[in-house]
Each structure stands twice: as C-alpha cells, then as structure tokens.
Amino acid sequence: MWARALRVRFPVPLDRGRGFASKAGPQGKVQEVRQGTHSPRLASQGAGRVPAAKIEHLERLALVNFGSREAVARLEKAIAFADQLHALDTDGVEPLESLLEDRCVYLRSDNVAEGNCTEELLRNSHHVVEEYFVPLPGNVSLPDMVNKTPSPTAE
Amino acid sequence: MEGELSGVLNRRCVEAAVMTGLALNCHINKKSLFDRKHYFYSDLPAGYQITQQRLPIAANGHLTYSVYMGKKRSQMTTKTVRIKQIQLEQDSGKSLHDDLRSQTLIDLNRAGVGLLEVVLEPDLCCGEEAAIAVRELQMILQALGTSQANMAEGQLRVDANVSVHHPGEPLGVRTEVKNLNSLRFLAKAIDYEIQRQITELENGGEILNETRSFDYKLGCTVSMRDKEGKQDYRFMPEPNLPPLVLYDATSLPADADSQQVVNIDQLRDMLPELPSATRERLVQQYGILPEHSFTLLNEVGLLEFFQSVIKETRAEPKRVINWVLNTLLYYLKQQNLAVSESPVTPAALAELLDLLDSKAISSSAAKQVFEELWKGEGKTAAQIVTEQQLELMQDREALEQLCQAAIDGHPQVVMDVKNRNPKAINKLIGLVRRTSLSRADPTLIKEILERKLSL
C-alpha cells in the first residue's frame, strides 16, 4: 500500500517538500544519493563532470549545442538533481512507463478519412522538385562538422 | 485533455499482425507496448519512428520450409527457422538519390503507414536457404492477405544480418546487408558476404559491426558505415500510445465494443489455408509428388495454370503435372518468361493432352505440337496435327507391313534380337518409327515385332 501510494505521488516535484528529498533542487544543496539501488546510473564521473566525448555524442544525437561551459555545468547539475531518484527504494515496484498504462490504444477502422492535399503539403517546403521534398544536403548539418553523404541507420 | 493526447492505431494492422503471428506459430502477447526509436534522416520528419522494442505483439514462433538436396534435387528435407518476434511499427518516407544534381529527393506518402517487422533468429546457413525461407514467408503473407509481398515493389523488404564462426564457437560479429530487392540478390548478397568475412578473417583481419549495401552491378557488398560510430536510438516508451490489448475467447469482456476488440481466437478460426497445407492437399488430391507440389506453389501462377488444364482435359493429373513441370516450365525457364507470359494457354495444353490421351498422336508427336504451339501463331493443337500429318496411324495393317519390311530389310538386327540382345529390339522399333514418320505408337510397334519374331 505504501508502494502504491508512492507510485501515484511520484510525479510531484521533489522540492515541494513531500517525499524524502526535501529542499533539493538545482539551486539548493543536493542530498547525497544512496548507492546500491539497481536502477541504471546516469553518466557522470568523479564530482559529477560529464566527459567531453559524451557531450559531443549528446550534441550529435539530439542536435543541441551546449556551446559554453555554463551550459555543460547546468547539464551536470540537472543530472545530479535527477540522480536523487536513486534515493528511493523501488524494489518490487513496476516502473510507470506511461500515464496511459491502464488504457488500451484506440483502434480505428481501415478507412481513408483524409488526404488529397498534396499542394498544401508541398507548400511547406522551400525546395521541391516534381512533388518530392528536397532536404538540405548531408544528413545532419552542424557548424563544426563537415557535410557528409546521407546515410541510413547503421546498427 | 486525456483523450487528446492519445494516439490511434489502424485496426487492420493489428489483425494483420495477429494473423501473421499465428501463421508463424508465435505466442501472441495480449498486451504489447509502443516505443520511440530516435534517429535523424530526411525521410523521417518526426525524428523518431514508433516501434515495439520492449514488448512486441508476437514472439517465439517458427517458419518451416523445404530444401531440395542431392544432385537431382529430389531429396526433400524440412528445415525450420525460429521467429524471434513480430512487431508493429511506422514506415518512414522514401528517399531517392538524384546523383545528377547531387541531391536527395524525399517522398513522404508512406511515412507513418503501418509496417510489420518479422525478426528471424540466425538459424539460416546460406543464401539459398535464406531465399527459400523468405519465399515461404512471402507465400504465407500472400495467402493471409497481409501483404502482396512483392520485393521489387518494396512491399516486402529484407535486411540480412550475416556472421561467420567456427563450429562450436559463439556467433561472430555480424554485418547488416541492405538494398536487397529480389530473392536472387538476397541469396547472392548473403553468399558474397559470407565469403568476404571468411576471407577477411583468414587473412587476419576483423569484421566490423556495420551496415553494408549490396551493389547489383558489382555483385558485392559495400560498406555504408558512418564515421559517427554506433547509433544510439535512445528508445523510450511512446507517450501517446497506450498499450495494445488483445483478447481471446476466455478474456473477452461481456460488453465489448466489437470495433475496439481484437479476438485472437476468432482470427485463428479465420486463418486461410497456408502454403504447407495447400501443398499437402495437392499431393492428396492429384496424386502428385511433394516436389511437384512444391514447384507448383513456388512458381507464380503455375498452380492456377495446372488447375485450369486439369479442369479442361481428360488426361490424368500425373500426365498433366509431367507436361506442366517438365515441358511448359522448362520452356518458360529457357526464355526467362513468367507463367503469365506463356504463349501456350491452359486450354491449348489441355487440347494437346486430350489428343495424346485418346492416342490420336504419339508422345513424340505431342512434343512437336507443343513446340509449334509455343510459337504462339494462334493455331490449335488439332490444326497443327493435321498440317504436319502427325496423326498416329490408325491402319493396323499398314503398320504390320512396315514392321515386316523392317524385319525383312535388317536380317542382322533380327539375328541380334533372337540372340536376346536387349538393345536390338529398340533398334528395330526405331527403324519402324522412322518409316512410319513417327506416326505409330512405339508400344504397338514393339508388340507387333515381338509377335512376328515369336518372342
């Protein structure tokens, strides 16, 4: 019963004083994280620094640009803040993966209900060739990377 | 607010997935989940693909197929490849490379359309086996109506994961081979890749876990490896799709809205005859061999052709199958024609077989008629027989005279026959056939000769 109550209330932000991680947040002191839970640890080293290689990897994956040391520091603080989750004993509690978990996906019938809006859709793009969209050359264009030929997913 | 967040799934996709899972002997998961697979490519506008990575709709099945071994490919062995899982996912758009202007063209028409991915375990050992297994899968999907499974049109897409290892050792590093749009190239690419990996390893090299593309013109696989290294798809649960829940006869809710409920047991009852059952039935129904049955199904349109001929001819199924497989199919293969392109129609073949059956012509004459029919000049079998005077001699007496003439004209051969030389009688029969212009039944000739020579 306690575990169930925990699950329901968890989405509430920790800095509201409920649950056990009180008075914690990016600005305030961070409560020490208890080791030994079985949840996966987020990548960090030593005093919570994220290695440069990992920053670059994240930038490529998410197409964000951390740009400055401050931005990376903010990321590290955010990770440390989230790490407080490990303070909770979640043994025997199934993870909440979706707020929709008690429902079933709605099945629609196999009827065409919309379409025939080719012109309207093609107008969304600056560059169109014979009803094809033309994307920017190269797969992903980042300022510090050389354009490369489009590549479908590697494993 | 709640309802608006929730995505929607096409019911037909779910039914197709369940039926495919059942046909492949899978366990159907009554609850399956959706996930997001993130990567950037111009044909994926959302930047992620919805798939079922954690808990797919079906898992742990198997696909059985037959392999023909031996020199004459007459020994049939049954093999099985395990199905790891079947998952529902979204298709991406289609990209075309315009090499002329060095640009990529994107067609988003199929983006978001439902796909079924069937994941096989690494139980296949070579290109040929893979092609046979995929062919069987193709026929199953076509029988179910799940897909027309035409590889050339991208209705069935196959990626091959290939690795090599010494017997007894664990599986080696695998490469993924893409861009395979026919069964023939599938087999070729796999065999090439197996050999490439073996050669590489024997030369002390290593195999990289990479994606390779099959180059048709060169007949080899080419690395597509991105310098970025391994992709990180950052799988996460799809927030907009609740779990997919399926029911069976026991779990069906009483007040169920039939539109919202997919009943596994009901779908199982609706499964059509699958290729393996069809092949069995043909063997029983027509008294043909399993190999014949296999070929009838394997060649597109051949079964329909065969059944049309059967319907229109008096000849026995055994004779029909012989002509369809050994003559018609042979001619088609020689000229690389599909059954639908055959210049000889089922009706024409049926007429020919009737003439043969009624002993109006000999089988060698029939072959000649077929050759003529193949030219596709619109003549019927009967017309050709008349034109080329191929009718069997109906005049018994005339035939007896020809036999006598052969006996009289070849005393040495007659001597050999009387000396029990087994080949001699055939020589004599051959002589009579020549003089009769192949218009006599060899069995009858033999009978007459043997009587005359008091054998």
Side-chain angles (χ1 to χ4, degrees):
Chain A
M1 174 142 134
W2 179 73
R4 190 165 172 81
L6 186 72
R7 192 192 71 162
V8 167
R9 293 160 115 188
F10 207 68
V12 171
L14 293 168
D15 63 2
R16 286 253 210 106
R18 296 199 216 172
F20 10 176
S22 55
K23 294 226 187 344
Q27 311 308 325
K29 251 184 4 177
V30 171
Q31 185 174 35
E32 199 181 289
V33 176
R34 188 172 63 113
Q35 301 283 33
T37 60
H38 64 329
S39 327
R41 299 300 307 273
L42 296 164
S44 60
Q45 266 179 8
R49 302 295 294 270
V50 181
K54 185 123 290 192
I55 293 290
E56 277 169 38
H57 184 59
L58 287 171
E59 284 179 329
R60 274 196 296 270
L61 283 180
L63 287 189
V64 296
N65 186 354
F66 284 102
S68 65
R69 181 59 227 159
E70 283 85 12
V72 176
R74 217 173 310 135
L75 171 69
E76 289 162 350
K77 285 204 178 104
I79 292 170
F81 177 64
D83 270 346
Q84 294 176 100
L85 292 173
H86 295 302
L88 269 147
D89 179 5
T90 55
D91 284 341
V93 181
E94 282 298 303
L96 174 68
E97 290 165 340
S98 165
L99 292 174
L100 309 169
E101 66 172 18
D102 290 332
R103 298 169 31 179
C104 325
V105 67
Y106 181 83
L107 300 177
R108 70 169 180 88
S109 57
D110 189 32
N111 297 321
V112 177
E114 54 182 5
N116 289 318
C117 49
T118 314
E119 277 180 37
E120 202 182 314
L121 292 174
L122 290 174
R123 255 183 262 136
N124 284 326
S125 173
H126 291 300
H127 194 180
V128 161
V129 165
E130 287 176 35
E131 299 203 333
Y132 288 97
F133 292 103
V134 184
L136 295 169
N139 189 15
V140 161
S141 189
L142 291 180
D144 54 350
M145 288 180 83
V146 179
N147 282 348
K148 34 184 192 267
T149 47
S151 67
T153 58
E155 209 272 298
Chain B
M1 190 57 188
E2 276 184 291
E4 285 158 35
L5 273 176
S6 182
V8 141
L9 182 55
N10 181 313
R11 187 196 163 82
R12 181 79 191 99
C13 289
V14 179
E15 290 173 346
V18 174
M19 290 185 77
T20 305
L22 290 171
L24 294 175
N25 308 289
C26 294
H27 168 76
I28 308 294
N29 287 319
K30 291 223 192 82
K31 180 171 166 186
S32 59
L33 307 170
F34 294 97
D35 305 294
R36 281 191 190 180
K37 177 179 179 182
H38 301 79
Y39 63 92
F40 289 110
Y41 195 58
S42 5
D43 65 10
L44 197 69
Y48 64 86
Q49 174 197 32
I50 299 181
T51 180
Q52 293 188 301
Q53 193 239 9
R54 287 166 297 154
L55 192 52
I57 189 168
N60 298 327
H62 61 267
L63 169 65
T64 309
Y65 57 98
S66 299
V67 186
Y68 287 87
M69 327 259 271
K71 270 186 225 164
K72 283 189 182 175
R73 298 191 162 273
S74 53
Q75 289 165 292
M76 192 185 84
T77 325
T78 307
K79 289 195 147 195
T80 304
V81 52
R82 290 166 297 158
I83 308 282
K84 179 163 194 274
Q85 65 189 52
I86 296 178
Q87 66 214 36
L88 280 165
E89 50 183 49
Q90 290 179 309
D91 204 351
S92 64
K94 195 158 156 55
S95 61
L96 293 168
H97 295 289
D98 180 3
D99 292 320
L100 208 64
R101 280 167 280 193
S102 278
Q103 60 189 6
T104 306
L105 303 176
I106 306 292
D107 173 358
L108 292 177
N109 274 297
R110 65 170 210 211
V113 169
L115 271 187
L116 218 53
E117 175 161 327
V118 180
V119 184
L120 306 183
E121 297 281 11
D123 296 340
L124 302 164
C125 73
C126 63
E128 186 183 20
E129 243 182 48
I132 296 172
V134 172
R135 175 79 185 111
E136 187 69 12
L137 177 63
Q138 216 178 20
M139 291 194 279
I140 290 172
L141 294 171
Q142 288 163 349
L144 291 172
T146 308
S147 169
Q148 289 173 292
N150 182 325
M151 283 179 78
E153 304 204 1
Q155 292 164 348
L156 173 65
R157 292 168 238 163
V158 183
D159 295 332
N161 289 282
V162 184
S163 71
V164 297
H165 64 283
H166 289 298
E169 285 178 15
L171 295 179
V173 174
R174 65 182 162 101
T175 60
E176 184 172 3
V177 183
K178 293 170 106 76
N179 194 29
L180 305 165
N181 62 18
S182 76
L183 291 172
R184 211 177 109 233
F185 287 131
L186 169 68
K188 230 175 161 194
I190 288 171
D191 288 336
Y192 172 86
E193 182 60 15
I194 289 172
Q195 199 46 62
R196 184 193 76 83
Q197 290 191 11
I198 290 174
T199 307
E200 183 70 33
L201 291 169
E202 281 178 348
N203 290 338
E206 61 164 2
I207 305 302
L208 297 162
N209 175 213
E210 59 175 353
T211 305
R212 298 179 74 87
S213 174
F214 184 63
D215 185 315
Y216 297 90
K217 293 179 198 133
L218 300 173
C220 64
T221 62
V222 174
S223 178
M224 291 167 99
R225 203 165 66 96
D226 208 277
K227 280 164 241 159
E228 279 181 26
K230 235 177 148 189
Q231 278 277 3
D232 180 346
Y233 294 118
R234 295 176 292 148
F235 283 101
M236 66 176 248
E238 169 54 55
N240 295 334
L241 286 175
L244 171 60
V245 177
L246 305 172
Y247 302 90
D248 59 20
T250 56
S251 65
L252 209 56
D255 57 345
D257 171 6
S258 62
Q259 168 68 12
Q260 290 308 309
V261 161
V262 173
N263 183 340
I264 300 168
D265 289 333
Q266 189 180 56
L267 289 173
R268 186 183 286 110
D269 291 338
M270 284 167 56
L271 283 176
E273 186 182 71
L274 296 179
S276 49
T278 307
R279 282 191 284 258
E280 254 298 311
R281 177 171 60 77
L282 293 173
V283 167
Q284 299 305 321
Q285 190 176 350
Y286 297 115
I288 57 179
L289 296 174
E291 301 91 89
H292 298 158
S293 189
F294 178 82
T295 310
L296 280 180
L297 255 68
N298 211 42
E299 301 295 333
V300 178
L302 196 61
L303 176 60
E304 291 70 30
F305 191 103
F306 170 75
Q307 287 174 320
S308 297
V309 177
I310 291 272
K311 232 196 279 185
E312 298 187 46
T313 186
R314 280 189 320 264
E316 292 228 328
K318 286 204 171 102
R319 179 163 257 169
V320 178
I321 197 76
N322 180 27
W323 276 82
V324 167
L325 296 183
N326 298 331
T327 308
L328 177 80
L329 192 59
Y330 175 79
Y331 272 72
L332 286 170
K333 292 289 177 192
Q334 285 274 297
Q335 296 181 15
N336 207 18
L337 292 173
V339 174
S340 56
E341 297 169 307
S342 168
V344 176
T345 63
L349 183 57
E351 193 201 343
L352 175 57
L353 293 177
D354 278 346
L355 290 171
L356 191 56
D357 192 64
S358 61
K359 295 202 192 286
I361 53 174
S362 68
S363 56
S364 53
K367 292 250 160 65
Q368 263 180 268
V369 175
F370 187 90
E371 177 101 27
E372 198 62 34
L373 282 172
W374 190 260
K375 291 183 188 163
E377 288 166 2
K379 296 185 208 155
T380 66
Q383 284 170 329
I384 297 168
V385 167
T386 313
E387 272 178 27
Q388 297 193 11
Q389 295 178 304
L390 295 169
E391 311 90 344
L392 277 178
M393 290 174 73
Q394 303 301 334
D395 188 343
R396 174 79 182 223
E397 212 187 287
L399 185 59
E400 299 240 356
Q401 283 174 5
L402 289 176
C403 289
Q404 192 59 54
I407 291 170
D408 295 338
H410 300 86
Q412 185 57 50
V413 184
V414 171
M415 186 93 82
D416 292 337
V417 172
K418 290 200 170 156
N419 288 337
R420 303 280 173 210
N421 181 339
K423 289 192 191 151
I425 188 76
N426 290 334
K427 228 175 166 177
L428 216 50
I429 294 171
L431 289 165
V432 177
R433 287 181 73 185
R434 266 209 299 279
T435 52
S436 70
L437 304 171
S438 288
R439 293 175 59 190
D441 182 1
T443 334
L444 189 56
I445 297 172
K446 190 176 187 196
E447 191 201 304
I448 297 171
L449 287 170
E450 283 175 346
R451 192 176 27 84
K452 283 184 179 286
L453 297 172
S454 319
L455 290 170

